[in-house]
């Protein structure tokens, strides 16, 4: 663990094993104890803790905003892209325990792996130091992201639909291109088309993949203006 990464945590672990587990990708313990020594269980905890802490912060930061706006802000701040961006900013990928075979496949830099590890890290901080330790980490590394949200983000599918309607175009069409992975951790690839333009994206649910594809297509369309 580099000094920079240790500083990013702002916490001295009473149980170093929790941190070690948070940094252990499931491929590193494949076939051992059913994978229970990986970071998946901590990811489960961290997901809930992050949601709570961000919700708490949003209610404090935006006292006049209604539930819908708060919900859209929350969804953006806890999504995979945000988690992966935070993970990269603190050098989390370099600290992960990953076997050489997976290293060669580029697993260490995958958004999904980084996002899961970031959630696991938050779970470890919570279990070791309580909500305050997790809160310090979240408020430190999400502060810039939250402050840049002058307005609550719109749902990408809604935004794309409104873009099409404003120009008299037919509604966007979504199509599931592929479904991969085990049943407990599927990956969906969805394509969206609007007129002669199209985009694809992946997600752990069809809805997530559709939203990512819509956001990607909308960005392409607006870039042409």
């Amino acid at each position: 663990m580099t000094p920079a990464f240790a500083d990013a945590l702002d916490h001295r672990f009473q149980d170093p094993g929790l941190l070690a587990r948070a940094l252990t990708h499931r491929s590193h313990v494949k076939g051992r104890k059913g994978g229970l020594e990986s970071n998946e269980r901590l990811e489960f905890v961290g997901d809930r803790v992050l949601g709570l802490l961000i919700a708490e912060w949003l209610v404090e930061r935006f006292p006049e905003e209604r539930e819908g706006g708060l919900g859209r802000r929350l969804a953006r701040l806890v999504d995979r892209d945000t988690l992966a961006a935070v993970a990269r900013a603190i050098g989390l990928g370099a600290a992960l325990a990953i076997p050489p075979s997976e290293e060669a496949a580029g697993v260490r830099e995958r958004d999904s792996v980084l996002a899961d590890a970031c959630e696991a890290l938050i779970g470890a901080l919570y279990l070791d130091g309580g909500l305050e330790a997790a809160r310090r980490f979240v408020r430190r590394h999400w502060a810039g992201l939250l402050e840049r949200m002058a307005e609550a983000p719109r749902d990408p599918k809604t935004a794309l639909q409104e873009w099409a309607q404003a120009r008299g175009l037919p509604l966007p069409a979504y199509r599931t291109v592929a479904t991969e992975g085990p049943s407990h951790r599927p990956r969906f690839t969805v394509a969206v088309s609007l007129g002669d333009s199209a985009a694809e994206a992946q997600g752990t649910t069809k809805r997530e993949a559709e939203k990512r594809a819509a956001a990607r297509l909308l960005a392409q369309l607006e870039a042409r203006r």
Side-chain angles (χ1 to χ4, degrees):
M1 183 169 61
T2 66
F5 180 64
D7 177 67
L9 300 183
D10 193 22
H11 178 74
R12 184 181 295 276
F13 275 83
Q14 299 300 310
D15 179 2
L18 280 170
L19 177 58
R21 199 179 316 147
L23 300 176
T24 301
H25 187 255
R26 65 180 181 275
S27 62
H28 192 70
V29 293
K30 190 174 181 179
R32 303 206 310 260
K33 294 186 179 180
L36 292 178
E37 295 178 349
S38 77
N39 62 11
E40 290 183 322
R41 286 167 58 85
L42 287 174
E43 172 201 339
F44 173 81
V45 175
D47 174 65
R48 277 71 182 170
V49 173
L50 177 61
L52 170 63
L53 292 175
I54 293 294
E56 168 194 72
W57 197 5
L58 288 173
V59 169
E60 171 190 315
R61 178 65 180 77
F62 302 101
E64 304 299 324
E65 190 155 74
R66 299 178 67 86
E67 180 189 4
L70 293 172
R72 293 195 299 276
R73 291 182 192 273
L74 175 66
R76 178 69 60 82
L77 290 167
V78 302
D79 71 11
R80 188 182 70 175
D81 290 346
T82 299
L83 281 157
V86 170
R88 287 192 172 92
I90 65 173
L92 180 54
L96 293 177
I98 294 176
S101 59
E102 297 295 318
E103 177 88 40
V107 167
R108 191 181 298 279
E109 285 303 313
R110 290 180 185 170
D111 282 358
S112 58
V113 170
L114 290 170
D116 290 349
C118 195
E119 286 182 333
L121 183 58
I122 293 169
L125 286 165
Y126 165 71
L127 292 177
D128 194 73
L131 273 177
E132 187 51 42
R135 186 182 288 112
R136 281 198 309 272
F137 177 83
V138 170
R139 295 213 174 193
R140 177 178 178 182
H141 298 292
W142 266 257
L145 298 166
L146 185 142
E147 291 304 322
R148 285 195 292 272
M149 279 188 175
E151 296 182 0
R154 291 184 297 167
D155 177 83
K157 292 182 66 176
T158 301
L160 181 61
Q161 180 174 315
E162 291 174 351
W163 192 95
Q165 290 175 327
R167 291 158 179 79
L169 298 173
L171 294 179
Y174 295 86
R175 177 172 58 90
T176 301
V177 176
T179 303
E180 303 168 304
S183 58
H184 70 283
R185 190 178 286 270
R187 297 287 301 166
F188 297 93
T189 301
V190 168
V192 59
S193 58
L194 179 59
D196 296 330
S197 302
E200 285 189 7
Q202 290 188 325
T204 54
T205 65
K206 285 185 181 180
R207 177 170 175 75
E208 180 186 23
E210 287 174 350
K211 289 173 67 173
R212 290 178 181 279
R216 187 167 293 174
L217 180 55
L218 184 60
Q220 293 175 9
L221 293 169
E222 291 185 333
R224 298 174 187 170
R225 296 175 61 184

